[in-house]
Amino acid sequence: MDRAIVGVSASPGIVLGPVHLLRWEVPDVPHLIIPDDDVDQEIARFRSAVEKAKDRLRAVRDRAERHAGPEEAAIFEVQIQILEDGELASRVSSYIRQNLGAEKAFDLVLLEWRQQFARSSSALMRERVGDLTDVHIRVLSFLLGLPDHDPVDVPKGANAILVTHDLTPSLTVQLDREAIAGIATESGTRTSHVAILARSLGLPAVVGLRDAVSRLRGDEYVVLDGSSGILVVNPSAAEIDTFRNRALAEAQTEAELLKGAELDAITTDGVRVTIRANVDLPDEAEQAAHSGAEGVGLMRTEFLVVGRAAMPDEEEQYRAYTRVVEAFGGRPVVIRTFDVGGDKLPIGGFPAEPNPFLGWRAIRMCLDQPELFKVQLRALLRAAMHGDVRIMLPLVVSIEEVRDARRLLDESAEELERRGVPFKRGVPLGIMVETPAAVIGADAFVEDVAFFSIGTNDLVQYTLAVDRGNANLAGRFTPLHPSVLRLVKRTVEVGAAHGLDVSVCGEMASQPLMAFALIGLGLRTLSVNPRAVPLVKRIVRGLSISFATEAVSAALQSRSAAEAERQLKYRLLAAFGDAAFLRDNVL
């Protein structure tokens, strides 16, 4: 297939449909000089374009409010306010009166504003650069008569494949799952947030498709194979038949796996493995419970703050957490505190950082912003009244961080008590083990935490020094690297020596080969994306612990990730043969 563009598998599934290109970038603007007689007409044309952009933003805002909530819709209210700024109209009109065409006049003003905002010492102003860019693109598109690529325009039932460079939060909230069948992006990796979101939404996705936007045309027919990580352009009739047959086979396999979703995951030698789900949004909780998940091993809370215009208050957070807790009755729900940097918060005053993955983020940011952190802790303590809530701290590298967090948790409880608000005492506090420092120093935490949860995505990133979001490095992001396996093994051993619960909540556990390795390393609790729950349960039911342990022992002796993968794959195939559920998932 010479018409195939190869990327990285991000979310399984095969879909066929027309391309919906989303070129979300500022277009080139011609430098037109207009005669004096045309000035009034150009000003009127500019004002008309602004009104059209505002109408479009109001439609997008209303749609976001219906589908995602008022907080997410607030993104677009900010952009409407920018267009209603009197200084914008005044400065653009001034340039037009100097005989510039409306497009160039508007372009110059927005470029000036974006530079000013980007250099501002105020983080709030810097955060507005993204909004300015969105406004810049929308108004110029109307002035230049360019096609409107807004995803909100894709009609229901279009079954379109959204092709774009990246999927920003403001674009994500516009996605209509009844119109978009799959996602293809030029950037990202399997562990990027776009990929995680796609898996959570159940949308097939391929990321890291270099130059896809420039190589494809709108309405061009493509096959997106999220399982293999390829996009086939203008497939032949024979190829379409092949992909349709594969899609049908995958659907049948998934349906078969779902039949066993409620069965316990017990190995052939009688060892029980608990399979929980990773949840990104409260709406996913019911899907996760339906897939057979025995609780939530990781509830990410970043959806509450990323891309928002204001921080969520205690009541909003309490409602969001409670929805997930109630969906699982009395089963454990592990909720991770905010795992974002100051640059992602909808409040200002934080400095920009050249390397945010190694910067002021997660527990570091939360401890330095106690009033912000305690709002979340109070909401969690209240939500714990409705079930088995466990609080997990991300990016912990020192015992002081745990003790400081514990102190703020106690203060939050006292505040609730003074207010007379019901809450639960003694909520378990645990940490994500996702850095080599946390693994090597794991003994230091055992007296202060209730559990370890291994975050494999970041553990791989920090151990191998490979940026998980860099598509150019996707081939070097190797979770089966022997060094990573040894760090996981050590964490399990420390937990076992001190009677501490140890689980894995990284996306690594969702893949059959990885799940096989983790079970062999001694993990008895895995948390995976909701769609993978039946699959991983099926893997567990077909293995013995002794077999998995022997396989991973061979992998640990390997000198490379490739050799370790061969060792594990050979044995997994020996256990299951050519089973469809393996053939359709990774192998």
Side-chain angles (χ1 to χ4, degrees), residues 158-204:
N159 209 43
I161 312 299
L162 181 69
V163 180
T164 185
H165 175 69
D166 197 2
L167 208 53
T168 63
S170 68
L171 295 175
T172 302
V173 298
Q174 299 178 57
L175 282 184
D176 184 348
R177 294 170 64 182
E178 296 181 22
I180 302 296
I183 299 170
T185 65
E186 293 180 327
S187 64
T189 66
R190 183 173 171 77
T191 58
S192 62
H193 290 294
V194 170
I196 292 171
L197 180 69
R199 289 195 287 274
S200 296
L201 294 173
L203 282 172

Side-chain angles (χ1 to χ4, degrees), residues 478-490:
T478 49
L480 290 173
H481 191 291
S483 296
V484 176
L485 297 180
R486 289 167 196 157
L487 291 176
V488 173
K489 184 170 186 285
R490 170 171 166 73

Side-chain angles (χ1 to χ4, degrees), residues 54-66:
K54 286 164 59 180
D55 287 345
R56 173 50 53 91
L57 283 167
R58 291 187 187 106
V60 174
R61 177 197 60 194
D62 294 345
R63 182 189 184 90
E65 187 165 357
R66 287 195 302 275

Side-chain angles (χ1 to χ4, degrees), residues 22 55 81 202 304 363 497 530:
L22 183 63
D55 287 345
Q81 290 170 4
L304 285 162
I363 192 63

Side-chain angles (χ1 to χ4, degrees), residues 408-431:
L408 292 175
L409 187 63
D410 292 342
E411 290 178 11
S412 301
E414 292 169 7
E415 289 167 8
L416 288 171
E417 189 167 31
R418 284 197 296 272
R419 285 165 42 192
V421 177
F423 68 97
K424 185 175 181 179
R425 294 186 182 277
V427 174
L429 185 68
I431 63 169

Side-chain angles (χ1 to χ4, degrees), residues 54 123 176 190 264 294 360 371 384 395 398 470 507 572:
K54 286 164 59 180
D176 184 348
R190 183 173 171 77
D264 289 337
E294 300 164 281
W360 190 62
E371 294 310 313
L395 201 60
S398 74
N470 188 333
E507 288 295 319
L572 191 60

Side-chain angles (χ1 to χ4, degrees), residues 51-360:
E51 289 306 312
K52 289 177 182 175
K54 286 164 59 180
D55 287 345
R56 173 50 53 91
L57 283 167
R58 291 187 187 106
V60 174
R61 177 197 60 194
D62 294 345
R63 182 189 184 90
E65 187 165 357
R66 287 195 302 275
H67 291 278
E71 294 79 15
E72 284 74 8
I75 296 171
F76 306 102
E77 190 63 44
V78 170
Q79 296 180 14
I80 293 170
Q81 290 170 4
I82 291 171
L83 288 175
E84 290 177 339
D85 190 318
E87 187 181 351
L88 174 69
S90 174
R91 293 182 63 173
V92 173
S93 297
S94 175
Y95 274 132
I96 293 174
R97 290 193 180 94
Q98 295 173 44
N99 300 100
L100 286 179
E103 298 89 342
K104 196 63 185 176
F106 178 75
D107 187 43
L108 284 176
V109 173
L110 264 290
L111 286 172
E112 291 169 359
W113 280 19
R114 285 168 57 189
Q115 289 177 357
Q116 290 173 12
F117 280 37
R119 289 197 299 263
S120 172
S121 59
S122 163
L124 184 61
M125 294 288 281
R126 291 197 302 274
E127 288 166 12
R128 294 283 87 85
V129 172
D131 293 312
L132 284 173
T133 303
D134 280 0
V135 164
H136 201 168
I137 295 168
R138 286 187 189 280
V139 174
L140 279 181
S141 294
F142 283 114
L143 283 169
L144 295 168
L146 298 175
D148 192 343
H149 298 294
D150 202 314
V152 79
D153 288 336
V154 181
K156 292 184 185 301
N159 209 43
I161 312 299
L162 181 69
V163 180
T164 185
H165 175 69
D166 197 2
L167 208 53
T168 63
S170 68
L171 295 175
T172 302
V173 298
Q174 299 178 57
L175 282 184
D176 184 348
R177 294 170 64 182
E178 296 181 22
I180 302 296
I183 299 170
T185 65
E186 293 180 327
S187 64
T189 66
R190 183 173 171 77
T191 58
S192 62
H193 290 294
V194 170
I196 292 171
L197 180 69
R199 289 195 287 274
S200 296
L201 294 173
L203 282 172
V206 179
V207 299
L209 289 160
R210 295 180 186 176
D211 305 322
V213 172
S214 60
R215 293 171 65 178
L216 294 169
R217 298 190 303 277
D219 293 329
E220 205 165 22
Y221 202 73
V222 298
V223 172
L224 182 141
D225 184 349
S227 303
S228 301
I230 62 172
L231 189 78
V232 180
V233 186
N234 293 323
S236 66
E239 288 169 341
I240 289 174
D241 284 344
T242 300
F243 279 111
R244 280 185 170 148
N245 289 336
R246 275 195 53 204
L248 181 62
E250 285 192 10
Q252 290 173 339
T253 299
E254 192 167 333
E256 285 297 316
L257 288 171
L258 265 176
K259 291 178 183 176
E262 295 302 324
L263 299 175
D264 289 337
I266 299 175
T267 61
T268 56
D269 47 356
V271 177
R272 194 177 196 286
V273 179
T274 301
I275 309 298
R276 298 177 184 154
N278 297 336
V279 173
D280 285 274
L281 303 167
D283 287 345
E284 295 171 303
E286 288 188 9
Q287 178 202 348
H290 178 69
S291 69
E294 300 164 281
V296 172
L298 168 62
M299 178 184 176
R300 301 180 178 96
T301 57
E302 292 74 64
F303 75 94
L304 285 162
V305 296
V306 174
R308 294 273 301 268
M311 285 296 290
D313 61 20
E314 180 185 315
E315 191 63 27
E316 183 188 346
Q317 293 190 51
Y318 163 70
R319 289 196 302 269
Y321 305 145
T322 299
R323 281 178 62 190
V324 177
V325 174
E326 290 183 335
F328 282 89
R331 292 185 166 181
V333 175
V334 179
I335 302 178
R336 183 176 68 187
T337 55
F338 296 136
D339 188 13
V340 293
D343 59 322
K344 296 290 193 300
L345 295 177
I347 53 176
F350 307 119
E353 295 184 301
N355 192 346
F357 279 115
L358 298 178
W360 190 62

